[in-house]
Amino acid sequence: MGYRAETLFRLFKAAAPTLLGVLGVLVLAAPIRLFEGVAPTPILPLVIVFFWSVYGPDYLPPLSVFMIGLLQDLLTGGPLGLWPAVYLVTQYIVMSQRAYFLGREQKVVWLGFALASAGAGLILWLVMSLMSGVLLPVRHLLLQFAATVLIYPLFGIAFGELHRRVLVEA
């Protein structure tokens, strides 16, 4: 491999999780509704932040997490700073428990993701309820987070392969 190709490959390796996060935000913000709107769109950036905070925190620094959240706020019309705060809190808590998750069965990591998702959902619900001045209904939020938790194993496998084959072995 030539110098230029090697440099581009190293740049791709460093940027891959951030690019995945941006792609996740674009999918989330796109006017696509699964099963004609019956199934809520999973929060893919949360999956990405969780996975890379466990298995490759050096590949997804806090500045990237902040920018992913800010992009989500801008594209979805949410209050500026809410998603960056949610993602950064999630990243901090997950990284503090990283040693526990490493080497565990995927079922344990999936349960950890479910707990992290519940925490993120609670933060979102509390902030939005405070901003609106009333306790907001949680039905849609619960459905969206349930969809997010259910898709985690698929993305965990895909990201695990990317991590192993491209970022670690290459």
Coordinates of all heavy atoms in Angstrom, one line a residue, residues 6-98:
E6 N -2.2 4.6 2.5 CA -2.1 4.3 3.9 C -2.6 5.4 4.8 O -3.3 5.2 5.8 CB -0.7 3.9 4.3 CG -0.5 3.4 5.7 CD 0.9 2.9 5.9 OE1 1.5 2.2 5.1 OE2 1.5 3.3 6.9
T7 N -2.3 6.6 4.4 CA -2.7 7.8 5.1 C -4.3 7.9 5.1 O -4.9 8.2 6.1 CB -2.1 9.1 4.6 OG1 -0.7 8.9 4.6 CG2 -2.5 10.3 5.3
L8 N -4.8 7.7 3.9 CA -6.3 7.8 3.8 C -7.0 6.7 4.6 O -8.0 6.9 5.2 CB -6.7 7.7 2.3 CG -6.5 8.9 1.4 CD1 -6.8 8.6 0.0 CD2 -7.3 10.0 1.9
F9 N -6.4 5.5 4.6 CA -6.9 4.4 5.4 C -6.9 4.7 6.9 O -7.9 4.5 7.6 CB -6.2 3.1 5.1 CG -6.8 1.9 5.8 CD1 -8.1 1.5 5.3 CD2 -6.2 1.3 6.8 CE1 -8.7 0.4 6.0 CE2 -6.8 0.2 7.4 CZ -8.0 -0.3 7.0
R10 N -5.8 5.3 7.4 CA -5.7 5.7 8.8 C -6.7 6.8 9.1 O -7.3 6.8 10.2 CB -4.3 6.2 9.1 CG -3.4 5.0 9.5 CD -2.1 5.5 10.0 NE -1.3 5.8 8.8 CZ -0.4 6.8 8.7 NH1 -0.1 7.5 9.8 NH2 0.3 7.0 7.6
L11 N -6.9 7.7 8.2 CA -7.9 8.7 8.4 C -9.3 8.1 8.5 O -10.1 8.5 9.3 CB -7.9 9.8 7.3 CG -8.9 10.9 7.3 CD1 -8.6 11.8 8.6 CD2 -8.7 11.8 6.1
F12 N -9.6 7.2 7.6 CA -10.9 6.5 7.6 C -11.1 5.7 8.9 O -12.2 5.8 9.5 CB -11.0 5.5 6.4 CG -12.2 4.5 6.6 CD1 -13.5 5.0 6.4 CD2 -12.0 3.2 7.0 CE1 -14.6 4.1 6.6 CE2 -13.1 2.4 7.2 CZ -14.4 2.8 7.0
K13 N -10.1 5.0 9.4 CA -10.1 4.3 10.7 C -10.5 5.3 11.8 O -11.3 5.0 12.7 CB -8.8 3.6 11.0 CG -8.6 2.3 10.2 CD -7.3 1.7 10.4 CE -6.9 1.5 11.8 NZ -5.7 0.7 12.0
A14 N -9.8 6.4 11.8 CA -10.1 7.4 12.9 C -11.5 8.0 12.8 O -12.1 8.3 13.8 CB -9.0 8.5 12.8
A15 N -12.0 8.2 11.6 CA -13.3 8.9 11.4 C -14.5 7.9 11.3 O -15.6 8.4 11.4 CB -13.2 9.8 10.2
A16 N -14.3 6.6 11.2 CA -15.4 5.7 10.9 C -16.5 5.8 12.0 O -17.7 6.0 11.6 CB -14.8 4.3 10.8
P17 N -16.3 5.7 13.3 CA -17.4 5.8 14.2 C -18.1 7.2 14.1 O -19.3 7.2 14.3 CB -16.7 5.6 15.6 CG -15.5 4.8 15.3 CD -15.0 5.4 14.0
T18 N -17.4 8.3 13.9 CA -18.0 9.6 13.8 C -18.9 9.6 12.6 O -20.0 10.1 12.6 CB -17.0 10.7 13.8 OG1 -16.2 10.6 15.0 CG2 -17.6 12.1 13.7
L19 N -18.4 9.1 11.5 CA -19.1 9.1 10.2 C -20.4 8.2 10.4 O -21.5 8.5 9.9 CB -18.3 8.6 9.1 CG -17.1 9.5 8.7 CD1 -16.3 8.8 7.6 CD2 -17.7 10.8 8.2
L20 N -20.3 7.1 11.1 CA -21.4 6.2 11.4 C -22.5 7.0 12.2 O -23.7 6.9 12.0 CB -21.0 5.0 12.2 CG -20.3 3.9 11.3 CD1 -19.7 2.8 12.2 CD2 -21.2 3.3 10.3
G21 N -22.0 7.8 13.2 CA -22.9 8.6 14.0 C -23.6 9.6 13.2 O -24.8 9.8 13.3
V22 N -22.9 10.3 12.3 CA -23.6 11.3 11.4 C -24.6 10.6 10.5 O -25.7 11.0 10.3 CB -22.5 12.0 10.5 CG1 -23.1 12.8 9.4 CG2 -21.6 12.9 11.4
L23 N -24.2 9.4 9.9 CA -25.1 8.6 9.1 C -26.4 8.2 9.9 O -27.5 8.3 9.4 CB -24.4 7.4 8.5 CG -25.3 6.5 7.6 CD1 -25.7 7.3 6.4 CD2 -24.5 5.3 7.3
G24 N -26.2 7.8 11.2 CA -27.3 7.5 12.1 C -28.2 8.6 12.3 O -29.4 8.5 12.3
V25 N -27.7 9.8 12.4 CA -28.5 11.0 12.6 C -29.3 11.3 11.3 O -30.5 11.6 11.4 CB -27.7 12.3 13.0 CG1 -28.5 13.6 12.9 CG2 -27.1 12.1 14.4
L26 N -28.6 11.2 10.2 CA -29.3 11.4 8.9 C -30.5 10.4 8.7 O -31.5 10.8 8.2 CB -28.3 11.3 7.7 CG -27.3 12.4 7.7 CD1 -26.3 12.2 6.6 CD2 -27.9 13.8 7.6
V27 N -30.3 9.2 9.1 CA -31.3 8.2 8.9 C -32.5 8.5 9.9 O -33.6 8.4 9.5 CB -30.8 6.8 9.2 CG1 -31.9 5.8 9.4 CG2 -29.9 6.3 8.1
L28 N -32.1 8.9 11.1 CA -33.1 9.3 12.1 C -33.9 10.5 11.7 O -35.1 10.5 11.9 CB -32.5 9.5 13.5 CG -33.4 9.9 14.6 CD1 -34.2 8.7 15.0 CD2 -32.5 10.2 15.9
A29 N -33.3 11.5 11.1 CA -33.9 12.7 10.7 C -34.7 12.6 9.3 O -35.5 13.4 9.0 CB -32.9 13.8 10.6
A30 N -34.4 11.5 8.6 CA -35.0 11.4 7.2 C -36.5 11.1 7.4 O -36.9 10.5 8.4 CB -34.4 10.2 6.5
P31 N -37.3 11.6 6.5 CA -38.8 11.4 6.6 C -39.2 9.9 6.2 O -40.1 9.7 5.4 CB -39.3 12.4 5.6 CG -38.3 12.6 4.6 CD -37.0 12.4 5.3
I32 N -38.5 9.0 6.8 CA -38.8 7.6 6.5 C -39.5 7.0 7.8 O -39.0 7.2 8.9 CB -37.5 6.8 6.2 CG1 -36.8 7.4 5.0 CG2 -37.8 5.3 6.1 CD1 -35.4 6.8 4.9
R33 N -40.6 6.4 7.6 CA -41.2 5.7 8.7 C -41.4 4.3 8.4 O -41.8 3.8 7.4 CB -42.6 6.3 8.9 CG -42.6 7.8 9.3 CD -41.8 8.0 10.6 NE -41.4 9.4 10.7 CZ -40.2 9.8 10.8 NH1 -39.2 9.0 10.8 NH2 -39.9 11.1 11.0
L34 N -40.9 3.5 9.4 CA -40.9 2.0 9.3 C -42.3 1.5 9.4 O -43.1 1.9 10.2 CB -40.0 1.4 10.4 CG -38.6 1.8 10.4 CD1 -37.9 1.2 11.6 CD2 -37.9 1.4 9.1
F35 N -42.6 0.5 8.5 CA -43.9 -0.1 8.5 C -45.1 0.9 8.5 O -46.0 0.8 9.3 CB -44.0 -1.1 9.7 CG -42.9 -2.1 9.7 CD1 -41.9 -2.0 10.7 CD2 -42.8 -3.1 8.8 CE1 -40.9 -2.9 10.7 CE2 -41.8 -4.0 8.9 CZ -40.8 -3.9 9.8
E36 N -44.9 1.9 7.7 CA -45.9 3.0 7.5 C -46.2 3.7 8.8 O -47.4 4.1 9.1 CB -47.2 2.4 6.9 CG -47.0 1.8 5.5 CD -48.3 1.2 5.0 OE1 -49.4 1.4 5.5 OE2 -48.2 0.5 3.9
G37 N -45.2 3.9 9.6 CA -45.3 4.7 10.8 C -45.7 3.9 12.0 O -45.9 4.5 13.1
V38 N -46.0 2.6 11.9 CA -46.4 1.8 13.0 C -45.2 1.6 14.0 O -45.4 1.7 15.2 CB -47.0 0.4 12.5 CG1 -47.3 -0.5 13.7 CG2 -48.2 0.7 11.7
A39 N -44.0 1.3 13.4 CA -42.9 1.1 14.2 C -42.0 2.4 14.3 O -41.8 3.0 13.2 CB -42.0 0.0 13.7
P40 N -41.7 2.9 15.4 CA -40.9 4.1 15.5 C -39.4 3.9 15.0 O -38.9 2.8 15.0 CB -40.9 4.5 17.0 CG -41.2 3.2 17.7 CD -42.0 2.4 16.7
T41 N -38.8 5.0 14.5 CA -37.5 4.9 14.0 C -36.5 4.8 15.2 O -36.6 5.6 16.2 CB -37.1 6.2 13.2 OG1 -38.1 6.3 12.2 CG2 -35.7 6.1 12.7
P42 N -35.7 3.7 15.2 CA -34.7 3.6 16.3 C -33.7 4.8 16.4 O -33.4 5.4 15.4 CB -34.0 2.3 16.0 CG -34.8 1.6 15.0 CD -35.6 2.7 14.3
I43 N -33.2 5.0 17.6 CA -32.3 6.1 17.8 C -30.9 5.5 17.5 O -30.2 5.2 18.5 CB -32.4 6.7 19.2 CG1 -33.9 7.2 19.3 CG2 -31.5 7.9 19.3 CD1 -34.2 7.6 20.7
L44 N -30.5 5.5 16.3 CA -29.2 4.9 15.9 C -28.0 5.6 16.5 O -27.0 4.9 16.9 CB -29.1 4.8 14.4 CG -30.1 3.9 13.6 CD1 -29.9 4.0 12.1 CD2 -30.0 2.5 14.1
P45 N -28.0 6.9 16.6 CA -26.8 7.5 17.2 C -26.6 7.0 18.7 O -25.4 6.9 19.1 CB -27.1 9.0 17.2 CG -28.1 9.1 16.0 CD -28.9 7.9 16.1
L46 N -27.6 6.7 19.4 CA -27.4 6.2 20.7 C -26.7 4.8 20.7 O -25.9 4.6 21.5 CB -28.8 6.1 21.5 CG -28.8 5.7 22.9 CD1 -28.0 6.7 23.8 CD2 -30.2 5.5 23.5
V47 N -27.1 4.0 19.8 CA -26.5 2.7 19.6 C -25.0 2.9 19.3 O -24.1 2.2 19.9 CB -27.1 1.9 18.4 CG1 -26.4 0.6 18.1 CG2 -28.6 1.6 18.8
I48 N -24.7 3.8 18.4 CA -23.3 4.1 18.0 C -22.5 4.6 19.2 O -21.4 4.2 19.5 CB -23.3 5.1 16.8 CG1 -23.9 4.3 15.6 CG2 -21.9 5.6 16.6 CD1 -24.3 5.2 14.5
V49 N -23.1 5.6 19.9 CA -22.3 6.1 21.1 C -22.1 5.1 22.1 O -21.0 4.9 22.7 CB -23.1 7.3 21.7 CG1 -22.6 7.7 23.1 CG2 -23.1 8.5 20.8
F50 N -23.1 4.2 22.4 CA -22.9 3.2 23.4 C -21.8 2.2 23.0 O -20.9 1.9 23.7 CB -24.2 2.4 23.7 CG -24.1 1.3 24.7 CD1 -24.3 1.6 26.0 CD2 -23.8 0.0 24.3 CE1 -24.2 0.6 27.0 CE2 -23.7 -1.0 25.2 CZ -23.9 -0.7 26.6
F51 N -22.0 1.7 21.7 CA -21.1 0.6 21.3 C -19.6 1.1 21.3 O -18.7 0.4 21.8 CB -21.4 0.2 19.9 CG -20.5 -0.9 19.3 CD1 -20.7 -2.2 19.6 CD2 -19.3 -0.5 18.6 CE1 -19.8 -3.2 19.2 CE2 -18.4 -1.5 18.2 CZ -18.7 -2.8 18.5
W52 N -19.4 2.3 20.7 CA -18.0 2.7 20.6 C -17.5 3.2 22.0 O -16.2 3.2 22.2 CB -17.9 3.8 19.5 CG -18.1 3.2 18.2 CD1 -19.2 3.3 17.4 CD2 -17.2 2.3 17.5 NE1 -19.1 2.5 16.3 CE2 -17.9 1.9 16.3 CE3 -15.9 1.8 17.7 CZ2 -17.3 1.1 15.4 CZ3 -15.4 1.0 16.8 CH2 -16.0 0.6 15.6
S53 N -18.3 3.6 22.9 CA -17.9 3.9 24.2 C -17.4 2.7 25.0 O -16.5 2.8 25.8 CB -19.0 4.6 25.0 OG -19.3 5.8 24.5
V54 N -17.9 1.5 24.6 CA -17.5 0.3 25.2 C -16.2 -0.3 24.5 O -15.2 -0.6 25.1 CB -18.6 -0.8 25.2 CG1 -18.1 -2.1 25.7 CG2 -19.7 -0.4 26.1
Y55 N -16.3 -0.4 23.2 CA -15.3 -1.2 22.5 C -14.2 -0.3 21.8 O -13.2 -0.9 21.4 CB -16.0 -2.1 21.4 CG -16.9 -3.1 22.1 CD1 -18.2 -3.0 22.0 CD2 -16.3 -4.2 22.8 CE1 -19.1 -3.9 22.6 CE2 -17.1 -5.1 23.4 CZ -18.5 -5.0 23.3 OH -19.3 -5.9 23.9
G56 N -14.4 1.0 21.7 CA -13.4 1.8 21.0 C -13.5 3.2 21.4 O -13.8 4.1 20.5
P57 N -13.4 3.6 22.6 CA -13.6 5.0 23.0 C -12.7 6.0 22.4 O -13.0 7.1 22.2 CB -13.5 5.0 24.5 CG -12.7 3.7 24.9 CD -13.1 2.7 23.8
D58 N -11.5 5.5 22.0 CA -10.5 6.4 21.3 C -11.0 6.8 19.9 O -10.6 7.8 19.4 CB -9.1 5.7 21.2 CG -8.5 5.5 22.6 OD1 -8.9 6.2 23.6 OD2 -7.6 4.7 22.7
Y59 N -11.9 6.0 19.3 CA -12.4 6.3 18.0 C -13.5 7.2 18.0 O -13.9 7.7 16.9 CB -12.8 5.0 17.3 CG -11.6 4.0 17.0 CD1 -11.5 2.9 17.7 CD2 -10.7 4.4 16.0 CE1 -10.4 2.0 17.4 CE2 -9.6 3.5 15.7 CZ -9.5 2.3 16.4 OH -8.5 1.5 16.2
L60 N -14.1 7.5 19.1 CA -15.3 8.4 19.2 C -15.1 9.3 20.4 O -15.7 9.1 21.5 CB -16.6 7.6 19.4 CG -17.9 8.4 19.2 CD1 -18.0 8.9 17.7 CD2 -19.1 7.5 19.5
P61 N -14.3 10.4 20.2 CA -14.0 11.3 21.3 C -15.3 12.1 21.7 O -16.2 12.3 20.9 CB -12.9 12.2 20.8 CG -13.0 12.1 19.3 CD -13.6 10.7 19.0
P62 N -15.3 12.7 22.8 CA -16.4 13.5 23.3 C -16.8 14.7 22.3 O -18.0 15.0 22.1 CB -16.0 14.1 24.6 CG -15.0 13.1 25.1 CD -14.3 12.6 23.9
L63 N -15.8 15.3 21.6 CA -16.1 16.3 20.7 C -17.0 15.8 19.5 O -18.0 16.4 19.1 CB -14.9 17.0 20.1 CG -15.1 18.1 19.1 CD1 -15.9 19.2 19.7 CD2 -13.8 18.6 18.6
S64 N -16.7 14.6 19.1 CA -17.5 13.9 18.0 C -18.9 13.6 18.5 O -19.9 13.8 17.8 CB -16.8 12.6 17.5 OG -15.6 12.9 16.9
V65 N -19.0 13.1 19.7 CA -20.3 12.8 20.3 C -21.1 14.1 20.4 O -22.3 14.1 20.1 CB -20.1 12.1 21.7 CG1 -21.5 12.0 22.4 CG2 -19.5 10.8 21.5
F66 N -20.5 15.2 20.9 CA -21.2 16.5 20.9 C -21.7 16.9 19.6 O -22.8 17.3 19.4 CB -20.2 17.5 21.5 CG -20.9 18.9 21.6 CD1 -21.7 19.2 22.7 CD2 -20.6 19.8 20.6 CE1 -22.3 20.5 22.7 CE2 -21.2 21.1 20.7 CZ -22.0 21.4 21.7
M67 N -20.8 16.8 18.6 CA -21.2 17.3 17.2 C -22.3 16.4 16.6 O -23.2 16.9 16.0 CB -20.0 17.2 16.3 CG -18.9 18.2 16.7 SD -19.5 19.9 16.9 CE -19.8 20.4 15.2
I68 N -22.3 15.1 16.9 CA -23.4 14.2 16.5 C -24.7 14.6 17.1 O -25.7 14.7 16.4 CB -23.0 12.7 16.8 CG1 -21.9 12.2 15.9 CG2 -24.3 11.8 16.7 CD1 -21.3 10.9 16.4
G69 N -24.7 14.9 18.4 CA -25.9 15.3 19.1 C -26.4 16.7 18.6 O -27.6 16.9 18.4
L70 N -25.4 17.6 18.4 CA -25.8 18.9 17.9 C -26.4 18.8 16.5 O -27.5 19.5 16.2 CB -24.6 19.8 17.8 CG -24.8 21.3 17.5 CD1 -25.8 21.9 18.6 CD2 -23.5 22.1 17.5
L71 N -25.9 18.0 15.6 CA -26.5 17.8 14.3 C -27.9 17.2 14.4 O -28.8 17.6 13.7 CB -25.6 16.8 13.5 CG -26.1 16.5 12.1 CD1 -26.1 17.7 11.2 CD2 -25.2 15.4 11.5
Q72 N -28.1 16.3 15.4 CA -29.4 15.7 15.6 C -30.4 16.8 16.0 O -31.5 16.9 15.6 CB -29.4 14.6 16.6 CG -30.7 13.9 16.7 CD -30.6 12.6 17.5 OE1 -29.5 12.0 17.6 NE2 -31.6 12.2 18.1
D73 N -30.0 17.7 17.0 CA -30.8 18.8 17.4 C -31.2 19.7 16.2 O -32.4 20.1 16.1 CB -30.1 19.6 18.5 CG -30.2 19.0 19.8 OD1 -31.0 18.0 20.0 OD2 -29.4 19.4 20.7
L74 N -30.2 20.0 15.4 CA -30.5 20.9 14.3 C -31.4 20.3 13.2 O -32.3 20.9 12.7 CB -29.1 21.3 13.6 CG -28.2 22.2 14.4 CD1 -26.9 22.3 13.8 CD2 -28.9 23.6 14.6
L75 N -31.2 19.0 12.9 CA -32.0 18.3 11.9 C -33.4 17.9 12.4 O -34.3 17.8 11.6 CB -31.3 17.1 11.3 CG -30.0 17.4 10.6 CD1 -29.4 16.1 10.1 CD2 -30.3 18.3 9.4
T76 N -33.6 17.7 13.7 CA -34.9 17.2 14.2 C -35.7 18.3 14.9 O -36.8 18.1 15.3 CB -34.7 16.1 15.2 OG1 -33.9 16.5 16.3 CG2 -34.1 14.8 14.5
G77 N -35.1 19.5 15.0 CA -35.8 20.6 15.6 C -35.9 20.6 17.1 O -36.8 21.3 17.7
G78 N -35.1 19.8 17.7 CA -35.1 19.7 19.2 C -34.4 20.9 19.8 O -33.8 21.7 19.1
P79 N -34.6 21.1 21.1 CA -33.9 22.2 21.8 C -32.4 22.0 21.7 O -31.9 20.9 21.9 CB -34.3 22.1 23.2 CG -35.1 20.9 23.4 CD -35.4 20.3 22.0
L80 N -31.7 23.0 21.2 CA -30.2 22.9 21.0 C -29.5 22.5 22.3 O -29.7 23.2 23.4 CB -29.6 24.2 20.5 CG -29.8 24.5 19.0 CD1 -29.2 25.8 18.6 CD2 -29.3 23.4 18.2
G81 N -28.7 21.5 22.3 CA -28.0 21.1 23.4 C -28.5 19.8 24.1 O -27.8 19.2 24.9
L82 N -29.8 19.5 23.8 CA -30.4 18.4 24.5 C -29.7 17.0 24.1 O -29.3 16.3 25.0 CB -31.9 18.3 24.3 CG -32.6 17.2 25.0 CD1 -32.4 17.2 26.5 CD2 -34.1 17.2 24.6
W83 N -29.7 16.7 22.8 CA -29.1 15.5 22.4 C -27.6 15.4 22.7 O -27.1 14.4 23.1 CB -29.4 15.2 20.9 CG -30.7 14.6 20.7 CD1 -31.8 15.2 20.2 CD2 -31.2 13.3 21.2 NE1 -32.9 14.4 20.2 CE2 -32.6 13.2 20.8 CE3 -30.6 12.2 21.8 CZ2 -33.3 12.0 21.1 CZ3 -31.3 11.1 22.1 CH2 -32.7 11.0 21.7
P84 N -26.8 16.5 22.5 CA -25.4 16.4 22.9 C -25.3 16.1 24.4 O -24.4 15.3 24.8 CB -24.9 17.8 22.6 CG -25.7 18.4 21.5 CD -27.1 17.8 21.8
A85 N -26.1 16.7 25.2 CA -26.0 16.4 26.7 C -26.4 14.9 26.9 O -25.7 14.3 27.7 CB -27.0 17.3 27.4
V86 N -27.4 14.4 26.3 CA -27.8 13.0 26.5 C -26.7 12.1 26.1 O -26.4 11.1 26.8 CB -29.2 12.7 25.8 CG1 -29.4 11.2 25.7 CG2 -30.3 13.5 26.4
Y87 N -26.2 12.3 24.9 CA -25.1 11.5 24.4 C -23.8 11.5 25.2 O -23.2 10.5 25.5 CB -24.8 11.8 22.9 CG -25.9 11.4 22.0 CD1 -26.1 12.1 20.8 CD2 -26.8 10.4 22.3 CE1 -27.1 11.7 19.9 CE2 -27.9 10.0 21.4 CZ -28.0 10.7 20.2 OH -29.0 10.4 19.4
L88 N -23.5 12.7 25.7 CA -22.3 12.9 26.5 C -22.4 12.2 27.8 O -21.5 11.6 28.4 CB -21.9 14.3 26.6 CG -21.3 15.0 25.3 CD1 -21.2 16.5 25.5 CD2 -19.9 14.4 25.0
V89 N -23.6 12.4 28.5 CA -23.9 11.7 29.7 C -23.8 10.2 29.5 O -23.2 9.5 30.3 CB -25.2 12.2 30.3 CG1 -25.7 11.2 31.5 CG2 -25.1 13.6 30.8
T90 N -24.4 9.7 28.5 CA -24.4 8.3 28.2 C -23.0 7.8 28.0 O -22.6 6.8 28.5 CB -25.2 8.0 26.9 OG1 -26.6 8.4 27.1 CG2 -25.2 6.5 26.6
Q91 N -22.2 8.5 27.2 CA -20.8 8.2 27.0 C -20.0 8.1 28.3 O -19.3 7.2 28.5 CB -20.2 9.1 26.0 CG -18.7 8.7 25.6 CD -18.1 9.7 24.7 OE1 -18.2 11.0 24.9 NE2 -17.3 9.2 23.7
Y92 N -20.2 9.1 29.1 CA -19.5 9.2 30.4 C -19.8 8.0 31.2 O -18.9 7.3 31.8 CB -19.8 10.5 31.1 CG -19.1 10.6 32.4 CD1 -17.7 10.9 32.5 CD2 -19.8 10.3 33.6 CE1 -17.1 10.9 33.8 CE2 -19.2 10.4 34.8 CZ -17.9 10.7 34.9 OH -17.2 10.7 36.1
I93 N -21.1 7.7 31.4 CA -21.5 6.6 32.3 C -21.0 5.2 31.7 O -20.5 4.4 32.4 CB -23.0 6.6 32.5 CG1 -23.4 7.8 33.3 CG2 -23.5 5.3 33.2 CD1 -24.9 8.1 33.4
V94 N -21.2 5.1 30.4 CA -20.8 3.8 29.8 C -19.3 3.6 29.9 O -18.8 2.5 30.2 CB -21.2 3.7 28.3 CG1 -20.6 2.5 27.6 CG2 -22.7 3.7 28.2
M95 N -18.5 4.7 29.7 CA -17.0 4.5 29.8 C -16.6 4.3 31.2 O -15.6 3.6 31.4 CB -16.4 5.8 29.2 CG -16.4 5.8 27.7 SD -15.7 7.3 26.9 CE -14.0 7.2 27.4
S96 N -17.4 4.8 32.2 CA -17.0 4.5 33.6 C -17.3 3.0 33.9 O -16.7 2.5 34.9 CB -17.8 5.4 34.5 OG -19.2 5.0 34.6
Q97 N -18.1 2.3 33.1 CA -18.4 0.9 33.4 C -17.8 0.0 32.3 O -18.1 -1.2 32.2 CB -20.0 0.7 33.4 CG -20.7 1.5 34.4 CD -20.1 1.2 35.8 OE1 -20.1 0.0 36.2 NE2 -19.8 2.2 36.6
R98 N -17.0 0.6 31.5 CA -16.4 -0.1 30.3 C -15.7 -1.4 30.8 O -15.8 -2.4 30.1 CB -15.4 0.8 29.6 CG -14.8 0.2 28.4 CD -13.9 1.3 27.7 NE -13.4 0.7 26.5 CZ -12.1 0.3 26.4 NH1 -11.3 0.6 27.3 NH2 -11.7 -0.2 25.3

